[in-house]
Amino acid sequence: MKQFVAAFGAEPEGVWAAPGRVNLIGEHTDYNDGFVLPFALPHRTVVGASRLDSPRWTVWSEQADERISFDLSTRVTGWGAYVAGVVWVLREAGFDVPGAQLAITSDVPLGAGLSSSAALESAVLTALVDLGGLDLPVDERPALAQKAENEYAGMPCGIMDQSASIRCRAGHALFLDCRSLDVEHIPFDVATDGLAVLVIDTRAPHRHVTGEYGKRRATCEEAARLLGVPALRDATPSSVSSLSDDVIRRRARHVVTEDQRVLDTVELLRSGRIREIGPLMTSSHASMRDDFEITVPEVDTAVEAALAAGAYGARMTGGGFGGCVLALVDADAAPVVADAVAAAYRAKGFTPPESFSAIPSAGATRL
Ligand code: GAF
């Protein structure tokens, strides 16, 4: 790996990679013990690593163009927190993590809501587990990567992104029950049906992401408390309608209806009716816009323009307040839809969007 050779003057012992993701449907359901349906992107973070004899980690990041070094007493901030957090969480879990040199490069777009941080955590975790020969089953890894992000990097995320980065399979979407952590790999080969999932990076500046995300999470927990259930996974549309506070009721309604949309999407995909998931995607977007209030004008404009240009369905993907929109389109219509969104952006004076067709790809692996 050339980045490792440039940073440390020798080939690494091994090279590992973990992808970014998009979420087909199921937004803000993960931390409510609900259902999600992400798939991994071909874009990934690659880590070359070699062991050191002492408990010290030296990390070169090509994108940050920076080398950091830390030991067990260092409190790391910035991008390095996603590396140091993984070392910390593995040690917390009782593993003897080897000291290491690591070189990192990535083509997961940063700040686009495609889980570049989960890709980094998952790539580093997979590398350190393999390097140290640690006995950590794959299905237990996402919870540790999530804990690193929650408790070391300070982002109160759920378990979806790390699960997608670690557990996805090529050609499939990952149907994850965020309570049991059971997964089902749902075949999602849109190309053979003449379809494409267009990812439109709205390039909208992320606004108050962590603060608003934390507020949504707290409101959902409050709703569950008021309803006397362990999590909103256990609420129903009729129990939610009894909540007297308008904001709390709408937030909870989003989660409960979104869980059902994931289940309905999975049913359609199981029977090969891919085009029919379009209306569920579009209702998911309306719910995020009107009930959960996590969309922004650039995102709504992309969804409206994609639908007007013939998309079967369109929705924002990820945590919200910017990021990417997914549109399910006929493969040969993808350029037309992308152009229609770009034209709508020009008319409103927004920064030009960037689009690509997503191919469901594999999760974390040794290369
Ligand atoms: C972000 C979080 F990291 C996920 O855990 C999830 O909650 C998502 O937003 C919203 O569905 O990506």
Side-chain angles (χ1 to χ4, degrees):
M1 180 203 193
K2 69 176 198 276
Q3 292 84 355
F4 192 95
V5 174
F8 302 111
E11 286 293 342
E13 280 179 51
V15 181
W16 291 262
R21 64 94 189 94
V22 289
N23 186 22
L24 191 54
I25 198 159
E27 228 62 82
H28 288 262
T29 46
D30 59 354
Y31 55 78
N32 289 299
D33 277 4
F35 305 104
V36 293
L37 191 62
F39 65 86
L41 292 170
H43 307 71
R44 55 195 192 172
T45 296
V46 178
V47 175
S50 290
R51 269 169 295 185
L52 289 174
D53 291 338
S54 58
R56 181 154 201 94
W57 293 267
T58 301
V59 193
W60 161 254
S61 159
E62 184 171 43
Q63 278 63 43
D65 190 17
E66 189 184 11
R67 177 194 290 252
I68 60 165
S69 201
F70 61 91
D71 62 21
L72 293 171
S73 62
T74 318
R75 186 73 180 82
V76 180
T77 56
W79 63 270
Y82 298 100
V83 180
V86 168
V87 171
W88 168 80
V89 84
L90 285 170
R91 288 186 54 87
E92 278 276 306
F95 292 106
D96 186 13
V97 189
Q101 293 174 318
L102 303 119
I104 298 170
T105 187
S106 181
D107 64 354
V108 183
L110 299 177
L114 298 176
S115 291
S116 55
S117 46
L120 175 53
E121 291 152 357
S122 302
V124 169
L125 186 125
T126 309
L128 292 176
V129 165
D130 276 5
L131 262 190
L134 311 181
D135 182 16
L136 178 58
V138 169
D139 56 2
E140 293 174 19
R141 296 178 190 183
L144 289 183
Q146 178 201 11
K147 185 174 175 191
E149 180 141 355
N150 289 167
E151 297 182 25
Y152 198 98
M155 161 65 182
C157 63
I159 200 166
M160 171 170 71
D161 301 345
Q162 295 78 11
S163 300
S165 190
I166 290 171
R167 302 185 73 182
C168 276
R169 280 194 194 152
H172 294 75
L174 183 81
F175 176 36
L176 171 68
D177 177 334
C178 299
R179 172 170 280 165
S180 67
L181 301 184
D182 287 344
V183 302
E184 181 182 339
H185 297 279
I186 308 286
F188 189 60
D189 182 6
V190 289
T192 54
D193 267 55
L195 296 168
V197 176
L198 189 66
V199 180
I200 303 155
D201 180 356
T202 67
R203 299 176 69 208
H206 271 209
R207 302 163 176 108
H208 320 297
V209 185
T210 304
E212 289 296 331
Y213 185 96
K215 274 197 220 164
R216 294 301 181 285
R217 186 169 178 159
T219 303
C220 289
E221 283 159 7
E222 171 70 357
R225 195 187 62 74
L226 290 168
L227 292 169
V229 291
L232 284 180
R233 152 77 171 268
D234 308 297
T236 63
S238 83
S239 69
V240 162
S241 67
S242 71
L243 290 163
S244 58
D245 182 277
D246 174 61
V247 171
I248 298 178
R249 187 174 59 249
R250 285 187 294 118
R251 302 293 189 256
R253 186 168 61 193
H254 164 73
V255 173
V256 169
T257 57
E258 185 78 348
D259 271 336
Q260 188 60 49
R261 283 186 287 271
V262 177
L263 299 176
D264 293 346
T265 301
V266 167
E267 270 313 303
L268 287 169
L269 293 181
R270 281 197 190 115
S271 47
R273 292 153 66 188
I274 302 185
R275 281 177 181 76
E276 291 173 54
I277 73 171
L280 292 166
M281 295 171 69
T282 307
S283 329
S284 165
H285 187 78
S287 179
M288 290 191 283
R289 182 190 60 214
D290 302 335
D291 278 352
F292 220 61
E293 296 183 280
I294 53 171
T295 69
V296 293
E298 290 89 336
V299 160
D300 294 332
T301 298
V303 167
E304 283 155 25
L307 291 171
Y312 293 102
R315 62 182 294 277
M316 184 185 73
T317 188
F321 308 99
C324 288
V325 162
L326 302 184
L328 181 67
V329 297
D330 284 322
D332 53 11
V336 177
V337 174
D339 285 351
V341 175
Y345 270 45
R346 271 195 304 281
K348 294 197 174 177
F350 296 154
T351 305
E354 276 169 17
S355 303
F356 62 90
S357 288
I359 297 159
S361 301
T365 183
R366 184 172 191 155
L367 298 181

